[in-house]
Amino acid sequence: MATDRRRAILEAAARVIARRGVRGLRMEELATEAGVSTALIYYHFKDRAGVLRHTLEFISDRADRYTSEEDEAARPYDARAELEQTLLLEFQDLPEVRENSTAWGELRASAIFEPELRGELARATLAWIHDVADLLGRIRPTAPAPTLTASAERLTALLEGLSTRWLSGALPLAHARELTREAVTVELERLSR
């Protein structure tokens, strides 16, 4: 039961952050959104910073779920197709993906002003970079690890920027996906040298 309430609070926090931003997150509104008392929020997360850190972890885990193909039959046969699929799943016009991407962007931007978010954000970003570097390494196994990591950093940073443009209406979804595919091609060519 405690796990269900904790999850409900984290889901509500992601919704509120996506809707109002980190600065607009108020514990009373979060409690109403989650259908719990503010005391229960503080019991589970100690303080506002704890809510933010755990929400960042929650949305990172949720992104891992929707960018990892569960169905083995639908899994791409080659590593390049798997890399493209993993990156392109960040651009789905689904409420959960939009909410996640918006909340991630808000939390990332807020880390500039809220240093307590920086450690968790750095860990989540590094995990994402390593996942992408691993996929790149399966495609280009002779590439040195630092080179793979640099390519993964460029790709993940590009995705964050494209996501912000897509979510703000400055970039159509199809174009964001096309730019991502082109970036994968450029990075793989670079790794071939």
Side-chain angles (χ1 to χ4, degrees):
M1 183 65 127
T3 305
D4 292 342
R5 288 201 176 162
R6 184 178 170 87
R7 181 174 177 82
I9 294 166
L10 292 171
E11 288 172 348
R15 282 193 305 274
V16 172
I17 291 169
R19 190 171 58 235
R20 294 176 133 338
V22 170
R23 290 186 176 177
L25 179 67
R26 303 288 178 261
M27 293 302 107
E28 297 76 21
E29 181 182 0
L30 176 56
T32 300
E33 182 84 19
V36 300
S37 69
T38 55
L40 189 62
I41 293 171
Y42 289 114
Y43 170 78
H44 283 290
F45 302 103
K46 186 179 167 194
D47 56 17
R48 183 175 184 277
V51 171
L52 294 175
R53 280 192 310 276
H54 287 279
T55 302
L56 181 59
E57 183 181 314
F58 171 79
I59 63 172
S60 182
D61 290 346
R62 190 163 68 172
D64 284 346
R65 283 193 303 279
Y66 66 70
T67 59
S68 301
E69 190 60 58
E70 296 293 325
D71 182 8
E72 282 296 318
R75 188 169 211 113
Y77 289 109
D78 66 51
R80 182 191 174 127
E82 185 176 351
L83 171 65
E84 281 189 7
Q85 177 183 350
T86 298
L87 297 177
L88 292 173
L89 286 172
E90 293 285 348
F91 297 107
Q92 300 178 69
D93 199 10
L94 300 172
E96 179 181 67
V97 176
R98 283 180 160 276
E99 178 182 285
N100 231 48
S101 294
T102 302
W104 174 266
E106 273 295 315
L107 288 159
R108 183 172 32 83
S110 292
I112 295 168
F113 305 104
E114 300 194 35
E116 64 274 1
L117 284 175
R118 292 178 188 164
E120 189 60 41
L121 181 69
R123 282 187 287 282
T125 301
L126 192 57
W128 187 24
I129 289 167
H130 284 302
D131 289 347
V132 173
D134 287 346
L135 287 169
L136 288 166
R138 288 179 40 213
I139 302 165
R140 298 287 188 260
T142 59
T147 305
L148 293 169
T149 300
S151 285
E153 284 181 292
R154 284 189 293 274
L155 285 171
T156 56
L158 175 70
L159 259 66
E160 286 181 340
L162 292 175
S163 179
T164 299
R165 290 183 182 186
W166 162 55
L167 292 167
S168 67
L171 184 70
L173 180 61
H175 192 56
R177 294 172 67 86
E178 178 185 333
L179 291 171
T180 300
R181 283 189 194 93
E182 289 172 3
V184 167
T185 298
V186 168
E187 289 300 331
L188 290 176
E189 286 173 3
R190 183 184 198 123
L191 289 171
S192 296
R193 298 181 201 152

